[in-house]
Amino acid sequence: MGLAGTAQAARVKEVAAIEGVRSNQLTGFGLVVGLEGTGDQTTQMPYTTQGLTNYMQQLGMTLTPAALTQLQLKNVASVLVTAQLPAFARPGQLLDINVSSLGNAKSLKGGTLIATPLKGADGEVYALAQGNLIVAGAGAAAGGSKVTVNHLSAGRIPDGAQVERAVPTALQSGPNVNLSLNATDFQTARKVAQAINRRFGNGVAQALDGRTVQVKAPTDPNERVTFLADMEELQVDGSVAAAKVIINSRTGSIVLNQAVSLGPCAIAHGNLSVSISSTPVISQPNALSGGQTVVTEKSSIEIKQEPGKLIQLPAAPQLADVVKALNALGATPQDLLAILQAIKSAGALNAELEVI
């Protein structure tokens, strides 16, 4: 069970981001060549053959239909290439790219990605990727045995893509700049606007809603950048978040923030266990009876219910008191999942339950 920290002062850049300044996802289909017999089985992956055919046609080489049916490209693998195009990226800048196998290639280690256009959501090409893969793993197989260290079907190419087109931003358009908070909170929005107004004067910033703060910024590009740089460094007093309990039902993890409080209640929690065991029983016929030996199973079922103690929990206004009260139950994290939900249903838990 984890505990959230107390609210602390943070800078504007840590609680909000400038609206419109964002990265964009790029993706593309490519081919990795130069593999040591660990590529796709082209009889099962037709798009690998099709991709190589299209690439060869761009180089002025046309393969006949008969040649296509005989291709056994063990050294070629089809891949998907992904990258993040950061804000303000300009043509000529380099990006890191991730390369992931799309077919049934055994390993991409030692391969080279050939020229792959990377497109955005609008279908336009924004970068061109190419280079040698770095695969942080190793593998070996012989005589039906196989050993693999880390993941061999995905790799990375540092500075493997070059930006070909810039994405326009609205940072320099209009007299205002909007700040988008990382989380919806009216208290934080008000404090951000107050901090900006204390530094630059009344009326410069105003909170439009619980997530957006509108700021009047200089129109000159250089002055606007200087203004935004100073604004992002302003200190904002932290706000106490709404009481919330995060429950991960898959791992049994429970996280409570500092605003969680507990009302007085009584809890009884016992365990019910059911055990089923099977014992083989051999039935041996008498001599000269003509019967056959038969193996049967004898099953036994046992139900055990442990007595549950009724424990009274006092009111706990502080997080430390809540932790002490829950620890007094002596329950496992998996049991606490059910107990916290029951306390919430009874109205004694002042928090929102969120299951992830």
Side-chain angles (χ1 to χ4, degrees), residues 117-201:
L118 301 182
K119 299 181 180 181
D122 55 0
E124 298 291 340
V125 176
Y126 287 91
L128 192 65
Q130 183 170 286
N132 298 321
L133 270 74
I134 297 177
V135 179
S145 300
K146 182 179 180 181
V147 177
T148 302
V149 180
N150 292 338
H151 205 57
L152 299 177
S153 58
R156 188 174 176 85
I157 305 178
D159 294 341
Q162 190 173 46
V163 178
E164 301 293 337
R165 176 182 299 185
V167 177
T169 61
L171 180 65
Q172 300 294 348
S173 61
N176 299 322
V177 172
N178 289 339
L179 294 179
S180 180
L181 300 184
N182 299 333
T184 301
D185 185 45
F186 291 98
Q187 186 73 257
T188 303
R190 185 185 68 172
K191 290 184 177 181
V192 169
Q194 290 176 344
I196 297 174
N197 288 332
R198 283 196 302 266
R199 171 63 175 80
F200 299 103

Side-chain angles (χ1 to χ4, degrees), residues 9 13 78 152 161 211 240 258 269 277 331 341 354:
K13 64 167 59 176
S78 56
L152 299 177
R211 192 112 187 187
V240 178
Q258 62 178 359
H269 188 74
S277 59
Q341 294 181 54
E354 181 177 340

Side-chain angles (χ1 to χ4, degrees), residues 91 94 120 139 161 163 187 245 250 334:
L94 300 177
V163 178
Q187 186 73 257
V245 177
R250 294 182 294 274
Q334 290 293 342

